[in-house]
């Protein structure tokens, strides 16, 4: 198939498409519009577990499977249903030697006793296994945030991804800045006269010293920014 370049307007929008604040949602489909060929796509189960996108498309004329978090739906979080949907998709791509492109914007696995009862740990492990077992090319882009075990699950280098890249303003860490600061500086925040101001200052330091993608690149977690 001859490649049909991505829509020029979508390509031009990429540098400003992803909000710097992780709390602001955006549509991952718009990012895919600027990356994938401007041709036919087939999305699987769009109404089921919408926090994860699974679709077939082409890039530079080559057929690929695309797995992506959808910030527009529950922040792109991984729950038990989304984990099963993603694992089955990656397994399917592997059976037909179809390259897997993963676009990551994930706050983590959904916590709570309800999700634990649904087997989120077991189903999350299925996603990790799917990536490990799949031998077709695996390419991963951290678009904005990638925290905790969900970062590992979404096509990380430790699961055998052949190439990993990160958006310049992305954050890669064991926890998000807000949660990490609340845990690490709980006493200081409790004693502070203006805890909100202190929290924001500490979160900014955490982003700079822990979560920056360049630190991940230096550690070999991603190949390039």
């Amino acid at each position: 198939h001859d490649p049909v370049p991505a829509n020029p307007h979508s390509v031009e929008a990429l540098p400003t498409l992803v909000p710097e604040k992780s709390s602001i949602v955006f549509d991952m489909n718009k990012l895919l519009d600027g990356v994938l060929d401007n041709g036919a796509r087939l999305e699987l189960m769009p109404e089921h577990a919408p926090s994860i996108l699974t679709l077939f498309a082409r890039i530079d004329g080559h057929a690929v499977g695309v797995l992506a978090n959808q910030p527009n739906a529950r922040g792109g979080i991984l729950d038990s249903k989304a984990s099963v949907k993603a694992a089955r998709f990656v397994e399917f791509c592997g059976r037909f030697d179809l390259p897997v492109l993963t676009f990551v914007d994930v706050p983590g696995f959904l916590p709570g006793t309800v999700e634990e009862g649904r087997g989120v740990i077991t189903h999350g492990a299925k996603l990790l296994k799917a990536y490990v077992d799949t031998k077709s090319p695996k390419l991963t882009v951290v678009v904005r945030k990638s925290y905790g075990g969900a970062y590992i699950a979404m096509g990380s280098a430790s699961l055998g991804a052949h190439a990993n890249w990160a958006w310049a303003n992305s954050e890669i860490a064991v926890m998000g800045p807000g949660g990490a600061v609340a845990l690490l500086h709980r006493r200081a925040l409790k004693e502070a006269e203006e805890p909100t101001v202190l929290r924001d200052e500490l979160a900014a330091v955490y982003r700079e010293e822990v979560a920056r993608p360049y630190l991940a690149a230096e550690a070999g977690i991603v190949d390039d920014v």
Side-chain angles (χ1 to χ4, degrees):
H1 288 257
D2 295 327
V4 182
N7 188 307
H9 297 293
S10 299
V11 175
E12 293 173 0
L14 285 178
T16 57
L17 174 64
V18 181
E20 291 190 11
K21 288 187 177 182
S22 60
S23 58
I24 300 176
V25 301
F26 73 100
D27 187 355
M28 185 64 76
N29 284 300
K30 293 183 178 180
L31 185 145
L32 299 180
D33 289 341
V35 176
L36 302 173
D37 289 0
N38 191 20
R41 297 184 198 169
L42 174 62
E43 183 175 356
L44 303 183
M45 299 184 291
E47 302 299 325
H48 176 70
S51 63
I52 202 84
L53 300 175
T54 52
L55 57 110
F56 298 113
R58 293 185 182 277
I59 186 166
D60 200 23
H62 300 283
V64 295
V66 178
L67 179 71
N69 300 106
Q70 174 55 291
N72 255 358
R74 306 179 74 190
I77 204 162
L78 282 178
D79 57 14
S80 54
K81 291 183 179 179
S83 298
V84 172
K85 177 181 176 181
R88 289 177 176 173
F89 180 77
V90 173
E91 289 171 354
F92 183 91
C93 292
R95 291 192 190 103
F96 295 92
D97 200 30
L98 197 64
V100 180
L101 274 61
T102 306
F103 294 87
V104 186
D105 187 356
V106 62
F109 282 99
L110 183 62
T113 56
V114 173
E115 275 302 307
E116 289 178 9
R118 291 173 177 167
V120 66
I121 296 175
T122 300
H123 296 313
K126 291 177 181 177
L127 179 55
L128 275 73
K129 185 177 186 298
Y131 273 108
V132 171
D133 291 346
T134 297
K135 303 307 178 186
S136 57
K138 292 170 285 192
L139 314 174
T140 300
V141 181
V142 178
V143 176
R144 183 167 58 168
K145 58 186 180 295
S146 191
Y147 300 146
Y151 160 71
I152 301 297
M154 290 294 297
S156 63
S158 58
L159 298 185
H162 298 88
N164 284 262
W165 300 283
W167 225 258
N169 292 327
S170 60
E171 298 176 0
I172 302 172
V174 67
M175 293 181 68
V181 165
L183 181 65
L184 297 172
H185 303 282
R186 180 175 55 185
R187 181 175 296 178
L189 290 170
K190 186 177 180 179
E191 296 175 352
E193 293 182 2
E194 297 183 4
T196 302
V197 174
L198 179 59
R199 183 194 61 200
D200 292 343
E201 292 175 351
L202 292 172
V205 172
Y206 182 90
R207 288 189 179 92
E208 182 67 22
E209 297 183 355
V210 178
R212 288 196 315 133
Y214 300 99
L215 299 176
E218 292 173 2
I221 295 173
V222 297
D223 300 310
D224 203 355
V225 177

